[in-house]
């Protein structure tokens, strides 16, 4: 058997709306017909009774009944029936014997109907009443009234005025036909409404069937719970509509707290989702503090027909990303160091091999000893002065890079960098120092000099780094723009980003950078990074 679930949404909606229209119209119509039938019976009965009472009060009729003048009563009864649109007016004496009847053949015979009513209420008790019964003229609604004598004390006869039930049924049939037409039109209108509404509804749900929506909803919930990033979405009023378990865990919210439907500003006053809802501008990879947690946050507006209908935000703890970044930075520094060392020692080995082939063994031994001594001294300095492996690896890599270029990176032996606060991201610190050293090496190489000096200290409230090169220096008029994106003294494309990145990272850490001429030639960059967490 074909079930509703197997039908398309349009077909289902047409059938449901059509059936609803038929049931509602049929119920209302049935009630209307029953009420109409009862009302018509009551109104016709009251009319018949009113006519009967009026005729019974006519003096001429009273006198004719008392004298049993059927010759006068017969025609007047027919005239009175015609005037009042009644089917009949029957007049009887106090014994219920007909004195006037539409048919002369029935005059002089007793007044009674198929139910055995002998007019007792009117003739015996003198009370008018209404009756629905079948008599000699057929089924009718009758009004019966007693005729009193001139003293208004004794019943001398009875008036019976009747309206045929067939006329009532004809009226009801006309209304029934109208009702059938209304039911048919309602069904047709419901089908058309169902078609329009289904088309509009399916357009709003992208042409999907309800079962498909249910399946997608389950997939969406499973997807939300499977991702490790926290996700929260709000509607156009700023009320929470979607969230996942990772969001509750990341923000440290109570797992039993009901979030759906609550204003986002009540749950997370500093979330800034309402700003995106008002402006419609997305926010990507924002570093924020929320619920005493450092998060990386994305906020994207939801648009429908050009209107902002909500905002969805995804976020993750920054320390998780920092852990990954640290590992990548370490790998990158190790790779850079190994590459530089491999290249440098390859050159050294070629030189030593050449000296041996030339028989200059003493010079070869001296070179080996010098190189080993220099490298061991650097490693010993870094181990003692820079315990952080990421920063130390960066400096070792830059030292070997300088050797490749034929330059000397001189690290001040009095340097100390042992107290780096945990909140300072190591990869950002490496980016700052690495970019400054690279710029110093390139400037020194272009100026055909050899030495780049690095000193650092963690005494006091700041971490201080000094990088001094032997380049051509930076003109005073260019110093204001040197940190702008794209500004560079190098030729070609792809330059002018290093110092700009350094400044941005220092702003984030609350640090500063000072540019001044070196003591002899070149430039000196001094970096100050506060140990305290910036506000």
């Amino acid at each position: 058997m074909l079930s509703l679930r197997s039908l398309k949404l349009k077909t289902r909606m047409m059938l449901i709306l059509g059936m609803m229209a038929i049931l509602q119209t049929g119920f209302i119509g049935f009630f209307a017909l029953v009420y109409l039938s009862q009302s018509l019976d009551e109104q016709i009965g009251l009319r018949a009774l009113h006519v009967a009472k009026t005729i019974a009060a006519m003096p001429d009729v009273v006198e004719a009944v008392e004298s049993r003048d059927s010759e006068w009563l017969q025609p007047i009864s027919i005239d009175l029936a015609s005037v009042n649109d009644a089917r009949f007016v029957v007049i009887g004496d106090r014994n219920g014997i007909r004195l006037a009847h539409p048919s002369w053949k029935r005059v002089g015979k007793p007044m009674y109907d198929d139910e055995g009513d002998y007019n007792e209420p009117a003739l015996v008790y003198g009370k008018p009443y209404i009756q629905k019964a079948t008599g000699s003229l057929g089924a009718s609604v009758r009004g019966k009234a007693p005729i009193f004598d001139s003293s208004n004390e004794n019943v001398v006869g009875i008036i019976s005025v009747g309206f045929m039930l067939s006329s009532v049924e004809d009226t009801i049939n006309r209304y029934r036909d109208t009702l059938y037409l209304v039911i048919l039109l309602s069904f047709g209108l419901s089908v058309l409404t169902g078609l329009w509404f289904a088309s509009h509804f399916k357009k709003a749900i992208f042409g999907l069937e309800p079962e498909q929506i249910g399946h997608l909803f389950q997939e969406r919930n499973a997807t939300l719970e499977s991702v490790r990033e926290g996700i929260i979405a709000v509607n156009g009023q700023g009320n929470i509509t979607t969230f996942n378990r990772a969001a509750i865990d990341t923000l440290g919210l109570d797992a039993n707290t009901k979030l759906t439907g609550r204003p986002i500003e009540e749950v997370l006053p500093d979330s800034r989702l309402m700003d995106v809802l008002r402006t419609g501008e997305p926010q990507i990879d924002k570093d924020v503090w929320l619920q005493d947690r450092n998060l990386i946050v994305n906020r994207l507006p939801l648009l429908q027909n050009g209107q902002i209908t909500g905002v969805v935000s995804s976020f993750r703890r920054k320390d998780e990303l920092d852990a990954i970044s640290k590992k990548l930075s370490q790998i990158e520094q190790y790779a850079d160091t190994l590459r530089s060392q491999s290249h440098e020692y390859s050159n050294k080995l070629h030189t030593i091999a050449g000296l041996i082939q030339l028989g200059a063994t003493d010079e070869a031994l001296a070179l080996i000893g010098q190189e080993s001594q220099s490298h061991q001294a650097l490693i010993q300095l870094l181990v003692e002065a820079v315990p952080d492996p990421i920063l130390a690896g960066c400096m070792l890599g830059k030292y070997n890079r300088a050797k490749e270029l034929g330059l000397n990176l001189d690290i001040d032996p009095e340097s100390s960098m042992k107290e780096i606060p945990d909140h300072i991201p190591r990869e950002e610190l490496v980016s700052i120092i690495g970019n400054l050293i690279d710029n110093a090496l390139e400037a020194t190489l272009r100026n055909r000099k050899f030495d780049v000096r690095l000193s650092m200290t963690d005494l006091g409230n700041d971490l201080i780094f000094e990088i001094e090169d032997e380049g051509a220096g930076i003109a005073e008029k260019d110093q204001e723009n040197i940190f702008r994106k794209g500004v560079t003294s190098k030729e070609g494309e792809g330059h002018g980003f290093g110092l700009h990145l350094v400044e941005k990272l220092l702003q984030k850490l609350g640090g500063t950078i000072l540019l001044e001429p070196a003591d002899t030639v070149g430039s000196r960059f001094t970096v100050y990074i506060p140990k305290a967490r910036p506000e």
Side-chain angles (χ1 to χ4, degrees), residues 277-303:
L277 191 62
R278 284 188 289 266
T279 63
E281 296 181 0
Q283 299 176 0
I284 306 298
D285 292 338
K286 292 292 183 180
D287 189 346
V288 302
W289 279 89
L290 191 63
Q291 297 287 96
D292 295 328
R293 289 168 170 79
N294 194 193
L295 306 175
I296 299 298
V297 179
N298 296 300
R299 306 181 183 103
L300 297 175
L302 301 175
L303 300 177

Side-chain angles (χ1 to χ4, degrees), residues 54-172:
T54 301
I55 297 173
M58 295 172 63
D60 291 343
V61 173
V62 174
E63 184 180 347
V65 170
E66 287 179 337
S67 63
R68 299 181 60 83
D69 188 358
S70 295
E71 294 291 337
W72 186 85
L73 290 172
Q74 179 67 13
I76 197 68
S77 67
I78 294 175
D79 291 339
L80 289 172
S82 177
V83 169
N84 290 282
D85 293 327
R87 176 62 183 87
F88 59 83
V89 173
V90 176
I91 303 173
D93 62 12
R94 65 179 308 278
N95 296 315
I97 302 300
R98 295 185 183 102
L99 299 176
H101 190 276
S103 175
W104 268 106
K105 295 179 180 180
R106 299 187 182 274
V107 175
K109 295 181 179 181
M111 295 173 61
Y112 65 90
D113 54 33
D114 291 350
E115 283 76 22
D117 179 27
Y118 288 93
N119 312 300
E120 183 177 347
L123 292 175
V124 176
Y125 301 104
K127 293 182 178 180
Y129 66 98
I130 298 172
Q131 178 192 46
K132 183 189 289 186
T134 301
S136 60
L137 296 176
S140 61
V141 177
R142 306 169 184 180
K144 295 186 179 185
I147 302 172
F148 291 92
D149 59 12
S150 57
S151 65
N152 204 29
E153 292 181 358
N154 301 313
V155 177
V156 296
I158 183 172
I159 300 293
S160 177
V161 178
F163 292 87
M164 303 306 291
L165 287 177
S166 58
S167 61
V168 178
E169 293 178 355
D170 291 341
T171 304
I172 294 174

Side-chain angles (χ1 to χ4, degrees), residues 423-478:
H423 74 269
I424 297 179
R426 300 306 189 265
E427 69 277 5
E428 295 180 2
L429 189 61
V430 164
S431 294
I432 294 171
I433 304 305
N435 272 292
L436 292 175
I437 293 176
D438 286 340
N439 284 347
L441 292 176
E442 293 180 10
T444 301
L445 184 64
R446 287 199 307 273
N447 203 34
R448 300 181 184 276
K449 299 294 183 179
F450 301 99
D451 291 326
V452 173
R453 287 169 287 279
L454 168 64
S455 65
M456 50 194 163
T457 180
D458 56 0
L459 300 177
N461 297 325
D462 299 318
L463 304 179
I464 303 174
F465 298 86
E466 279 190 1
I467 296 95
E468 185 176 327
D469 62 51
E470 291 186 343
I474 301 173
E476 186 175 352
K477 64 181 179 63
D478 296 329

Side-chain angles (χ1 to χ4, degrees), residues 225-242:
E225 295 303 327
S226 66
V227 297
R228 295 184 60 187
E229 286 196 347
I231 296 176
I232 289 182
V234 299
N235 59 17
Q237 289 72 46
N239 297 326
I240 297 175
T241 58
T242 300

Side-chain angles (χ1 to χ4, degrees), residues 333 391 394 398 424-440 454 463 465 467 483 498-513 525-529:
Q333 291 299 327
L391 185 60
C394 170
K398 298 306 177 184
I424 297 179
R426 300 306 189 265
E427 69 277 5
E428 295 180 2
L429 189 61
V430 164
S431 294
I432 294 171
I433 304 305
N435 272 292
L436 292 175
I437 293 176
D438 286 340
N439 284 347
L454 168 64
L463 304 179
F465 298 86
I467 296 95
F483 294 103
L499 290 179
H500 174 73
L501 176 61
V502 167
E503 185 184 42
K504 289 298 181 183
L505 292 174
L506 285 174
Q507 288 177 356
K508 179 180 175 182
L509 297 174
T512 57
I513 184 169
F525 288 87
T526 306
V527 173
Y528 300 88
I529 301 176

